[in-house]
Amino acid sequence: MKLKYLSALLLSLTVFTSAAQPWNTARTSYYSIDTALQDIRQIYKLLCPTGCGHITIKAGGISNNAQAKYLRARETEISYDPEWMGYLARTYGESVPFAILAHELGHHIDFNTSSYNQMTDWQQELSADAWAGCALALGNMGTIGFEQAMRYSIAISPSKTHPGWQKRNSAIRGGYWRCR
């Protein structure tokens, strides 16, 4: 029990921002570090109810994307572009940045499994997408906004490291229904 609260405390104490940003309560031009922290805390509670390590959130340092960086066992840094996340929230809905952070936290969960190093790049991404779908289900949110964002602005075509929209959409829905 103490470990769970210690993880939550560490999560709340290790927030870094690349630059000071003005507060925007409408959340229409950017996705603030405060909002990201609120979302990641909720996602952490949904996907890791007994704790799953330490997450640090960093606003900035990446353009038009979000990423999870393995630091060491049970410790990950998640970086995101606040302007891009704000655009996605404004265009596709508030659940999209939530789902993206859940995807990144899914990478954190997977980093700490024994099978992670045997997974291909595509398998890693599809697993993280399934975690995002799961978080949306557990948070009583739909997948439509995230699916639309994936289809129209994030995962249009497959690449060496990321599958295309159709495979990712299937993984999102699979995770959603697994946790519903």
Side-chain angles (χ1 to χ4, degrees):
M1 187 64 93
K2 288 182 182 181
L3 182 60
K4 179 179 176 182
Y5 290 103
L6 182 58
S7 291
L9 179 61
L10 289 172
L11 180 64
S12 67
L13 294 176
T14 57
V15 177
F16 301 98
T17 58
S18 60
Q21 299 174 358
W23 176 251
N24 181 341
T25 56
R27 193 171 146 183
T28 58
S29 65
Y30 75 95
Y31 184 74
S32 75
I33 192 70
D34 293 329
T35 304
L37 245 179
Q38 180 181 349
D39 281 353
I40 202 73
R41 284 184 185 130
Q42 182 181 0
I43 295 161
Y44 192 93
K45 287 178 188 175
L46 294 171
L47 297 181
C48 304
T50 60
C52 63
H54 179 76
I55 307 292
T56 302
I57 300 290
K58 181 179 177 186
I62 189 168
S63 181
N64 295 327
N65 209 343
Q67 71 178 17
K69 179 181 175 186
Y70 176 85
L71 300 176
R72 61 190 61 81
R74 298 177 49 84
E75 190 169 342
T76 300
E77 178 184 274
I78 297 174
S79 302
Y80 72 94
D81 179 341
E83 294 295 329
W84 177 70
M85 294 278 265
Y87 162 78
L88 293 172
R90 186 175 62 252
T91 305
Y92 300 104
E94 301 273 330
S95 66
V96 176
F98 180 93
I100 290 170
L101 289 177
H103 170 100
E104 300 307 335
L105 192 122
H107 281 305
H108 166 75
I109 294 169
D110 288 344
F111 289 157
N112 293 289
T113 63
S114 59
S115 62
Y116 181 78
N117 289 329
Q118 285 75 44
M119 295 169 76
T120 67
D121 290 342
W122 279 26
Q123 289 170 329
Q124 292 169 7
E125 292 306 316
L126 294 173
S127 178
D129 286 338
W131 283 113
C134 180
L136 288 168
L138 294 173
N140 295 314
M141 298 178 204
T143 62
I144 298 301
F146 189 43
E147 290 174 24
Q148 288 177 333
M150 295 289 279
R151 183 175 188 179
Y152 297 114
S153 68
I154 299 174
I156 300 166
S157 300
S159 69
K160 180 181 176 192
T161 58
H162 290 73
W165 173 80
Q166 290 175 333
K167 286 189 183 293
R168 297 188 76 182
N169 190 59
S170 179
I172 293 162
R173 287 179 178 223
Y176 185 88
W177 290 111
R178 183 185 74 228
C179 294
R180 191 76 182 150

